[in-house]
Amino acid sequence: MSGGIGDEQKVKLQTKSLSGIAFDGLLAPLRQDRGVIFPYTPTIGIGHSANYGSYDSTHSIYQPNYYVNTPNPTIGITATFTANDMSEARYTASALHFFKTLTKSDFGENAVNPGSPPRTLIFNAYGHLHAKNVPVILTSVNYNLVEDIDYVEVDFNGSKTSIPTSLLVTLDLRVQMPPRYTKERFDLRNYANGSSLKSGNGFI
């Protein structure tokens, strides 16, 4: 289990509010936290990069580069979930369904807000240096149901499902900052000295 850090610095992937997603049925165990607080310390890879083009000078070497833009930071998570008892099994099942739900748009004849994209989430991990209140989208979720492990049968409102006692889940996140917010709030000097990170305004 996550240890050695306070609740505010634990790794979390949450919705901004309870509106839009009914945290009932399979998602009921996540309602209190509006999402997933990772039960074990995950492996997190955070990527920052800058895009450059180059000037093609004939018969030359070491062409000069010019700055194009800085793409959105990427976040990759590899996390362990377990099902050692019924409570853990329910939480793991809920987390899996939560991740899958967040790759879907509101589509079809029963849509409440037809065409609306998957929800933007809030990601937190280990304080402001790494990620504090960062708006992200979930671009992929992957897990394997392997053969050489025990499974636990868990009941959700009369429907049964089987959950492996240990499960590895990989998630790919991408920072989703509103353009106007970035234009009005980003300040390179405050970013460099860390004050904009400490304020929890979502920059990473």
Side-chain angles (χ1 to χ4, degrees):
M1 303 294 284
S2 298
I5 59 174
D7 288 342
E8 291 301 315
Q9 295 194 21
K10 289 182 178 180
V11 182
K12 307 173 186 178
L13 190 60
Q14 301 166 293
T15 60
K16 294 180 180 179
S17 67
L18 291 174
S19 63
I21 294 181
F23 282 89
D24 55 13
L26 276 173
L27 297 182
L30 309 182
R31 181 178 179 84
Q32 180 177 350
D33 297 314
R34 305 188 323 277
V36 173
I37 298 179
F38 289 81
Y40 298 89
T41 302
T43 297
I44 302 175
I46 300 176
H48 296 263
S49 62
N51 289 332
Y52 285 84
S54 63
Y55 295 101
D56 295 326
S57 302
T58 304
H59 299 170
S60 67
I61 63 173
Y62 295 107
Q63 291 80 13
N65 298 296
Y66 59 88
Y67 175 74
V68 178
N69 59 20
T70 297
N72 293 5
T74 58
I75 302 168
I77 302 174
T78 301
T80 297
F81 290 84
T82 56
N84 294 311
D85 54 37
M86 285 297 104
S87 177
E88 283 190 3
R90 290 176 184 275
Y91 197 86
T92 295
S94 295
L96 288 178
H97 195 60
F98 179 70
F99 299 144
K100 292 189 292 181
T101 298
L102 292 167
T103 63
K104 309 294 188 293
S105 66
D106 198 356
F107 177 80
E109 295 181 355
N110 297 316
V112 176
N113 297 297
S116 61
R119 296 284 298 274
T120 297
L121 303 167
I122 299 298
F123 177 68
N124 284 279
Y126 310 131
H128 67 277
L129 176 62
H130 307 291
K132 184 176 181 181
N133 299 328
V134 180
V136 296
I137 51 175
L138 176 60
T139 59
S140 72
V141 53
N142 294 278
Y143 63 93
N144 293 317
L145 300 172
V146 298
E147 62 183 13
D148 56 345
I149 199 168
D150 292 333
Y151 284 73
V152 174
E153 191 174 73
V154 59
D155 183 277
F156 274 97
N157 298 326
S159 296
K160 293 184 178 181
T161 189
S162 295
I163 302 297
T165 52
S166 182
L167 180 67
L168 203 61
V169 180
T170 59
L171 307 171
D172 289 316
L173 309 175
R174 189 174 301 166
V175 175
Q176 180 80 331
M177 198 72 71
R180 182 174 179 179
Y181 183 90
T182 303
K183 180 181 179 180
E184 294 176 351
R185 299 292 185 90
F186 184 79
D187 183 305
L188 183 58
R189 286 146 296 279
N190 288 337
Y191 180 88
N193 65 33
S195 61
S196 66
L197 302 180
K198 188 176 181 180
S199 66
N201 59 17
F203 295 117
I204 185 175

